[in-house]
Amino acid sequence: MIWPASLLLLAGGALGAFLLRRSWLRRDGSALGMIAGGWVVLLGLLLAAAFLVGPVKGLALGLVMEGIGALAVVWLGRVRRKAARLREMEAAPEPLDEPGRLWRGVLRTLLAGPLGMTAAMAVAFCVTVYLPGDPRTRIVIGGLLMPVLWGLAMTWTLADRRILRATAVLVATSVVGFGLAHLGASA
């Protein structure tokens, strides 16, 4: 019963991802049907697997096999940047492909490292203060959340082309986060 269900879920994941990818390429109102169809296929097969194979095993099998099918669609639709640029003779470079300057790299490193960590710590403190439940659980959740938030802040800072915007957002997040955490802790 597992092998036929696995193959059906694999094909269903590919079909759902294909419909969602096609809807992304169409940027007008006609894409709503494809979006709905893609999600109906993905969620319907997931529910069918949970019903036929079992709630735990079927759900796990459905998530894994649909994910593999969707990754196959993404892999087949990948774009090779250099080959596409040479074929189409694009004039504008990709945002992160342009030549960098040393001072911008140093500034981005300082923003992504210490300032990104400060902003992540502020949000983690806020979550720790305002999350309901046992204080020990809140501290553990805040501690586990901090590196994830720091990674997100670093990724966003390094990908954003506007350094002043990244600086303003990180400073504002730090100030507001620590301020709210202090207000919640003193109340």
Side-chain angles (χ1 to χ4, degrees):
M1 182 74 180
I2 297 291
W3 282 105
S6 298
L7 294 176
L8 181 66
L9 289 167
L10 184 72
L15 176 65
F18 177 77
L19 289 173
L20 290 173
R21 189 170 196 285
R22 284 290 169 205
S23 71
W24 177 259
L25 296 176
R26 292 185 184 178
R27 296 186 186 254
D28 55 358
S30 67
L32 292 176
M34 293 182 116
I35 293 172
W39 283 111
V40 163
V41 167
L42 291 173
L43 294 175
L45 282 174
L46 199 60
L47 290 174
F51 180 71
L52 294 175
V53 178
V56 174
K57 196 182 229 181
L59 195 61
L61 182 69
L63 288 173
V64 169
M65 295 311 288
E66 284 184 3
I68 292 171
L71 280 174
V73 169
V74 171
W75 176 258
L76 292 174
R78 72 189 187 283
V79 176
R80 292 185 183 98
R81 296 282 179 202
K82 277 189 177 179
R85 189 176 300 142
L86 290 175
R87 277 196 313 263
E88 298 173 9
M89 300 302 281
E90 293 178 3
E94 291 290 322
L96 297 177
D97 285 345
E98 62 188 21
R101 294 181 178 77
L102 180 64
W103 67 271
R104 289 177 69 91
V106 170
L107 188 58
R108 283 187 192 278
T109 303
L110 291 174
L111 284 176
L115 195 56
M117 180 191 63
T118 307
M121 193 181 304
V123 174
F125 281 1
C126 237
V127 167
T128 302
V129 168
Y130 288 106
L131 197 67
D134 186 37
R136 293 172 292 196
T137 305
R138 295 185 316 194
I139 291 170
V140 169
I141 290 173
L144 291 174
L145 194 59
M146 197 272 184
V148 173
L149 293 171
W150 189 11
L152 290 173
M154 288 172 51
T155 303
W156 176 71
T157 303
L158 295 174
D160 193 5
R161 293 184 67 190
R162 299 181 185 211
I163 294 177
L164 290 177
R165 177 175 53 194
T167 306
V169 168
L170 290 175
V171 167
T173 302
S174 299
V175 169
V176 169
F178 282 124
L180 287 174
H182 178 69
L183 287 175
S186 27

